[in-house]
């Protein structure tokens, strides 16, 4: 990505990319509280089941968290009693192919990206690849995440448990 | 027998209070299970609401055999082996679809929805006496099929118990589910989730009637949910989830009081778990008021009260079903190998009920069945650790003695665990397992309660 598009409100795509990289880096370093602090108070974190799933209310999902459930999910990751993370996973996020639209009038920016998460745990590597949609609120010089949706390319496949955050 | 195992070997693996690890770890045992359990008993394939119109089909497997369930032009359901009569390829490669006929991708043989061969290309290429039609070729229906209140059951054995005999008293759990619909019908909705674990298929059936494990397996989600600030934003999904997580941390004496029943053929259910008051705040909740109004309009007040107080929780239909009527959940188990199992998860819509109730069931499915669920992921982790742990030498036995000798006969072929944490359900499953596995023929199998 050599060209940085400048949107009318003065947001450039490089700045957004750096924000997403920061977000992913917090996950890879398991700084979950700091990761959660990037999210808005009425946020959504969603991994749909179906390829073109319209919503999380009428079709089941791999994950469909509102703020309350996301907080519980994050808090659990800090518990020694979390068997599914003993030992914990190591992850590596790679993010690219950003496309940004300014949602005129809403104060939100929608960012589509491709994300490949490589997970290592118990001598096994797993790839969790998908297309991600972020909706970002401008917040001072940075952003807050109002919405993060991850469409795994194998969302309808047979998954082993996914106790980590993608 | 298809393996080197003899009847005495199998019988010796199951004792009153323990089983030999080979029941979970031996590939030979698994092969025999495919033959004598999945090859003989009734298996749930799905629900007829998945295929509402003629030509609608879904594909699945019975044991390891691919089959197609397809709606016929006359409205009935057929289950056909998913195989071309010519040289054997599967005719349907999609999980679901809608067709007017089945056409083989290899040489274009065409079959009707009923499986009958309707045409082959250039039929003159066959001597008349050897034509596919003359040889009676066609898609083969599975030997037995019965639909009970929309639930499609099939068996790979031509003879054996009727479905009603097979289900016995747990048929009341299916009724409990369907009766909860104001229109008297349920339908599958909201997609089919799938998860997999590297462990034996029986672990899931045992776990779903295990009243002792939640506080321990789910300790992390219980603690995280208990610390959750309830003032945080929720659109209902988190509300349902956090409440369910907390419920798993209920004190021991509550679990002890849960009703745990077993039935012949390895089936069983949990009851008196949550009453509706606790779980759904039913009485004053406007959603429930409206639901109750619709139920009473259909069934009258008396019958409505009866239906809504049954309070079944998980029901196991051995060997491939776990379902739960209160939140309309269904799981179908599909063993892949001795140490790998796929679970398909479904949600029922109660026809005629407010749509928001279906949405609550979706939210519930996500938290108990979603591959990313903070609850399920710990169960799956433990199943995988069991599969590894039982390979250790030194103690080849798996212990199921909790509550042994305290089970109570309650009539109707049913027994109740002396407490809700009794291991009665596992003992009962293995009594049926041993019975199936040692039966030389279908006629010898079935009917056993522990
Ligand atoms: S294999 Fe099906 S038509 Fe030849
Ligand atoms: Fe569990």
């Amino acid at each position: 990505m050599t060209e940085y598009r400048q949107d009318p409100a003065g947001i450039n795509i490089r700045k957004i990319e750096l924000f997403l990289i920061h977000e992913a880096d917090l996950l890879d370093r398991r700084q979950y509280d700091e990761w959660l602090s990037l999210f808005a108070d009425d946020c959504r974190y969603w991994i749909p089941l179906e390829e073109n799933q319209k919503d999380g209310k009428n079709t089941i999902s791999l994950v469909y968290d509102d703020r309350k459930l996301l907080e519980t999910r994050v808090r659990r990751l800090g518990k020694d009693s979390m068997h599914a993370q003993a030992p914990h996973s190591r992850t590596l996020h790679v993010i690219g192919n950003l496309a940004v639209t300014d949602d005129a009038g809403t104060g939100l920016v929608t960012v589509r990206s491709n994300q490949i998460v490589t997970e290592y745990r118990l001598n096994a590597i797993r790839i969790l690849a998908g297309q991600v949609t972020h909706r970002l609120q401008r917040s001072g010089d940075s952003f807050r995440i109002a919405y993060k949706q991850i469409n795994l390319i194998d969302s309808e496949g047979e998954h082993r448990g996914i106790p980590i955050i993608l | 027998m298809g393996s080197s195992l003899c009847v005495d070997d199998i019988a010796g693996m199951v004792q009153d209070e323990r089983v030999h690890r080979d029941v979970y770890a031996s590939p030979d045992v698994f092969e025999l299970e495919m033959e004598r359990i999945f090859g003989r008993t009734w298996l749930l394939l799905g629900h007829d609401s998945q295929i509402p119109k003629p030509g609608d089909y879904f594909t699945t497997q019975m044991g390891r055999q691919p089959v197609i369930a397809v709606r016929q032009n006359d409205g009935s359901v057929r289950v056909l082996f998913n195989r071309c009569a010519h040289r054997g390829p599967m005719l349907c490669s999609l999980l679901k679809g809608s067709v007017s006929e089945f056409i083989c991708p290899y040489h274009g043989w065409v079959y009707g929805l009923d499986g009958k061969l309707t045409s082959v290309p250039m039929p003159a290429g066959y001597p008349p006496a050897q034509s596919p039609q003359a040889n009676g070729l066609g898609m083969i229906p599975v030997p037995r099929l019965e639909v009970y209140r929309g639930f499609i059951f099939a068996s790979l054995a031509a003879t054996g118990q009727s479905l009603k005999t097979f289900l016995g008293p747990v048929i009341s759990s299916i009724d409990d589910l369907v009766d909860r619909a104001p229109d008297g019908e349920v339908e599958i909705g909201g997609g089919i989730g799938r998860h997999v674990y590297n462990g034996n298929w029986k672990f899931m059936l045992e776990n779903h009637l295990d009243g002792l494990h939640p506080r321990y397996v789910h300790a992390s989600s219980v603690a995280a949910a208990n610390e959750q600030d309830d003032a945080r934003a929720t659109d209902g999904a988190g509300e349902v989830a956090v409440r369910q997580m907390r419920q798993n941390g209920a004190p021991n004496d509550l679990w002890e009081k849960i009703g745990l029943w077993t039935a012949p053929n390895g089936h069983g259910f949990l009851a008196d778990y949550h009453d509706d008051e606790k779980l759904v705040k039913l009485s004053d909740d406007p959603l429930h008021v409206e639901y109750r109004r619709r139920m009473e309009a259909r069934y009258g007040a008396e019958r409505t009260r009866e239906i809504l107080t049954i309070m079944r929780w998980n029901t196991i239909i051995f060997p491939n079903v776990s379902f739960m009527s209160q939140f309309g959940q269904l799981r179908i188990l599909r063993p892949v190998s001795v140490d790998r199992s796929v679970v398909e998860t479904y949600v029922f819509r109660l026809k005629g009920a407010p749509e928001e109730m279906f949405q609550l069931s979706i939210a519930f499915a996500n938290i108990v069945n979603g591959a990313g669920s903070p609850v399920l992921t710990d169960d799956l982790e433990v199943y995988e650790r069991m599969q590894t742990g039982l390979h250790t030498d030194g103690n080849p036995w798996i212990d199921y003695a909790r509550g042994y000798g305290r089970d109570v006969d309650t009539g109707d072929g049913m027994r109740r665990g002396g407490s809700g944490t009794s291991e009665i359900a596992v003992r009962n499953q293995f009594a049926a397992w041993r019975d199936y596995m040692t039966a030389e023929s279908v006629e010898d199998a079935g009917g056993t309660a522990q």
Side-chain angles (χ1 to χ4, degrees):
Chain A
M1 221 171 292
T2 51
E3 248 183 39
Y4 304 143
R5 275 194 297 128
Q6 200 81 21
D7 84 7
I11 294 169
N12 69 48
I13 199 164
R14 176 62 179 162
K15 191 170 165 190
I16 290 172
E17 186 183 25
L18 288 174
F19 178 77
L20 297 193
I21 289 170
H22 170 63
E23 186 221 326
D25 181 58
L26 291 174
L27 291 175
D28 290 342
R29 290 189 291 116
R30 302 200 315 285
Q31 302 299 305
Y32 296 119
D33 290 337
E34 202 180 336
W35 177 81
L36 185 63
S37 74
L38 299 178
F39 280 73
D41 292 342
D42 58 348
C43 62
R44 169 77 59 203
Y45 168 71
W46 184 26
I47 308 178
L49 168 71
E50 294 180 347
E51 188 179 359
N52 296 307
Q53 188 170 331
K54 284 196 212 58
D55 62 61
K57 287 209 172 294
N58 297 289
T59 301
I60 52 184
S61 298
L62 280 71
V63 170
Y64 186 67
D65 287 2
D66 53 27
R67 175 78 197 199
K68 186 173 182 177
L69 182 47
L70 185 58
E71 286 184 7
T72 298
R73 177 183 301 281
V74 165
R75 191 176 305 109
R76 182 171 91 105
L77 284 163
K79 302 286 180 198
D80 290 341
S81 55
M82 181 174 175
H83 312 301
Q85 281 289 277
H88 66 74
S89 303
R90 289 186 60 184
T91 62
L92 195 73
H93 282 65
V94 177
I95 294 162
N97 303 39
L98 267 66
V100 179
T101 26
D102 188 12
D103 302 351
T106 63
L108 293 172
V109 180
T110 298
V111 188
R112 221 191 59 190
S113 63
N114 292 348
Q115 169 175 292
I116 298 173
V117 179
T118 307
E119 179 199 36
Y120 165 78
R121 182 170 185 261
L122 294 173
N123 287 313
I125 289 280
R126 161 166 76 168
I127 306 288
L128 293 154
Q131 192 170 69
V132 181
T133 301
H134 281 85
R135 275 195 217 118
L136 305 178
Q137 295 168 348
R138 294 180 181 83
S139 167
D141 196 32
S142 185
F143 305 98
R144 292 189 89 194
I145 303 170
Y147 180 96
K148 183 177 184 182
Q149 174 182 343
I150 302 148
N151 284 71
L152 294 174
I153 56 170
D154 55 350
S155 60
E156 286 160 283
E158 296 160 357
H159 280 278
R160 290 174 78 203
I162 305 176
I164 54 168
I165 290 173
L166 301 182
Chain B
M1 281 201 188
S3 70
S4 54
L5 295 165
C6 69
V7 166
D8 288 345
D9 294 336
I10 295 290
M13 289 176 192
V14 179
Q15 301 182 357
D16 285 348
E17 313 157 43
R18 60 183 196 171
V19 293
H20 193 274
R21 66 172 176 196
D22 281 355
V23 305
Y24 303 111
S26 157
D28 285 346
V29 168
F30 183 81
E31 288 304 315
L32 201 62
E33 288 175 335
M34 289 299 104
E35 177 190 322
R36 296 195 163 179
I37 299 178
F38 286 82
R40 289 177 179 173
T41 65
W42 290 98
L43 302 173
L44 180 67
L45 307 191
H47 191 267
D48 70 359
S49 59
Q50 294 170 262
I51 44 175
K53 295 188 302 298
D56 289 353
Y57 72 85
F58 68 83
T59 59
T60 182
Q61 288 171 26
M62 296 179 65
R64 286 169 298 188
Q65 306 194 38
V67 297
I68 307 168
V70 56
R71 180 74 72 174
Q72 303 294 296
N73 288 318
D74 68 2
S76 64
V77 172
R78 261 186 188 232
V79 178
L80 305 164
F81 288 108
N82 189 358
R83 178 203 193 274
C84 176
H86 182 209
R87 292 208 223 149
M90 290 202 306
L91 289 162
C92 292
S93 58
L94 305 181
L95 290 169
K96 61 177 181 177
S98 193
V99 291
S100 53
E101 53 198 7
F102 298 108
I103 304 173
C104 181
Y106 201 174
H107 312 98
W109 288 22
V110 180
Y111 305 85
L113 296 178
D114 58 1
K116 287 209 180 68
L117 184 64
T118 53
S119 76
V120 299
M122 296 177 290
Y126 289 93
Q130 270 76 43
S131 78
Q133 282 89 349
N135 283 336
L137 298 185
M139 293 170 71
I140 310 288
V142 298
R144 286 189 300 160
L145 168 70
E146 276 194 51
V147 181
Y148 181 72
R149 301 198 80 173
F151 288 73
I152 303 170
F153 286 90
S155 168
L156 292 170
T159 57
Q161 297 177 317
S162 71
L163 178 65
K164 282 211 169 143
T165 305
F166 167 76
L167 292 172
V170 296
I171 204 165
S172 60
S173 288
I174 297 180
D175 294 334
D176 178 44
L177 169 65
V178 182
D179 287 346
R180 283 168 181 266
D183 288 356
E185 277 181 19
V186 295
E187 66 181 12
I188 298 273
I192 303 175
R194 291 181 179 81
H195 57 260
V196 64
Y197 60 90
N198 290 329
N200 191 265
W201 58 277
K202 296 184 287 296
F203 294 156
M204 188 197 89
L205 300 180
E206 296 161 12
N207 174 269
H208 289 187
L209 297 180
D210 186 318
L212 186 60
H213 88 283
R215 293 189 75 197
Y216 305 97
V217 168
H218 302 303
S220 63
S221 53
V222 168
N226 282 339
E227 292 160 30
Q228 179 59 44
D229 175 0
D230 281 322
R232 302 318 296 252
T234 176
D235 64 352
E239 188 72 32
V240 170
V242 169
R243 194 188 303 132
Q244 177 57 26
M245 285 188 245
R246 287 175 182 159
Q247 186 70 38
N248 281 332
N252 279 339
D253 67 313
L254 186 142
W255 294 108
E256 289 287 80
K257 280 187 220 132
I258 288 169
L260 179 53
W261 274 268
T262 63
N265 293 323
H267 315 321
F269 56 76
L270 280 174
D272 314 334
Y273 175 46
H274 302 275
D275 56 41
D276 286 359
E277 296 293 328
K278 279 186 214 131
L279 196 70
V280 213
K281 284 187 259 154
L282 285 183
S283 42
D284 51 350
D285 182 59
L287 183 58
H288 181 66
V289 170
E290 173 57 17
Y291 168 58
R292 187 176 287 254
R293 189 191 65 72
R294 296 188 196 184
M295 286 292 282
E296 287 177 353
R298 163 110 188 178
Y299 296 108
E302 176 71 3
R303 177 77 187 121
T304 296
R305 200 183 44 76
E306 231 175 77
I307 292 170
L308 295 184
T309 48
I310 288 178
M311 297 185 303
R312 290 285 159 83
W313 199 248
N314 291 342
T315 292
I316 294 295
I317 301 175
F318 190 85
N320 84 326
V321 189
S322 169
F323 71 102
M324 196 267 263
S325 44
Q326 204 171 29
F327 270 101
Q329 309 288 319
L330 168 68
R331 285 169 274 201
I332 297 181
L333 183 56
R334 203 151 49 68
V336 176
S337 62
V338 69
D339 56 3
R340 192 167 170 88
S341 309
V342 171
V343 183
E344 293 174 344
T345 72
Y346 303 75
V347 180
F348 287 105
R349 176 185 280 110
L350 303 176
K351 284 194 181 174
E355 190 63 8
E356 293 86 340
M357 287 182 65
F358 174 66
Q359 296 178 340
L360 286 175
S361 295
I362 293 281
F364 192 87
N366 294 342
I367 205 61
V368 298
N369 287 328
S373 153
V375 179
L376 175 78
T377 43
D378 281 326
D379 289 309
L380 299 180
E381 173 73 14
V382 169
Y383 301 163
E384 299 201 351
R385 287 200 208 172
M386 288 165 79
Q387 195 68 36
T388 310
L390 54 80
H391 279 279
T392 55
D393 288 331
N395 175 10
W397 296 97
I398 311 293
D399 178 87
Y400 296 119
R402 180 178 286 270
Y404 181 75
R406 299 183 189 162
D407 311 333
V408 183
D409 269 311
T410 59
D412 225 11
M414 303 212 65
R415 294 167 72 77
R416 188 181 201 265
S419 85
T421 61
S422 169
E423 286 169 331
I424 179 177
V426 190
R427 292 190 290 272
N428 184 59
Q429 287 169 12
F430 275 108
W433 184 92
R434 178 176 51 192
D435 189 53
Y436 284 125
M437 292 287 279
T438 55
E440 298 285 359
S441 73
V442 173
E443 281 68 26
D444 296 338
T448 295
Q450 69 160 94

